[in-house]
Amino acid sequence: MSPRRILQIVGTIELATLVVLLANLVTVHLPELSRVLGPVHGLAYTGTVITAVLLSKGRHRVWLFSLIPGVGGLLASRTASAAAITASGGD
């Protein structure tokens, strides 16, 4: 599995946990759900940033995008993919 794919998966998990946490906050506010998903979201966020730093290869834009909570991992994955295509001289 490529590092960009891992970044995309972790970014998706980060976004999904954030959406569920916010939906829980707005609706029923179950403390048990927050207790479980809060650390999972934090771990996904940290994993997104670490993966982006390892993937960036000196391109600051990739890991800077990963610092945006929620959608940063997906933006970093997209930026890394675009940079790889440009570097390889693809379409």
Side-chain angles (χ1 to χ4, degrees), residues 29-87:
H29 192 58
L30 296 172
E32 298 82 17
L33 189 63
S34 298
R35 214 174 290 132
V36 171
L37 283 183
V40 172
H41 174 70
L43 183 63
Y45 178 73
T46 304
T48 299
V49 173
I50 291 171
T51 305
V53 167
L54 294 174
L55 180 66
S56 67
K57 297 179 185 172
R59 295 181 309 255
H60 296 295
R61 180 180 281 178
V62 174
W63 67 266
L64 284 174
F65 273 135
S66 74
L67 295 175
I68 301 170
V71 296
L74 298 175
L75 290 173
S77 172
R78 221 178 145 122
T79 304
S81 295
I85 290 171
T86 304

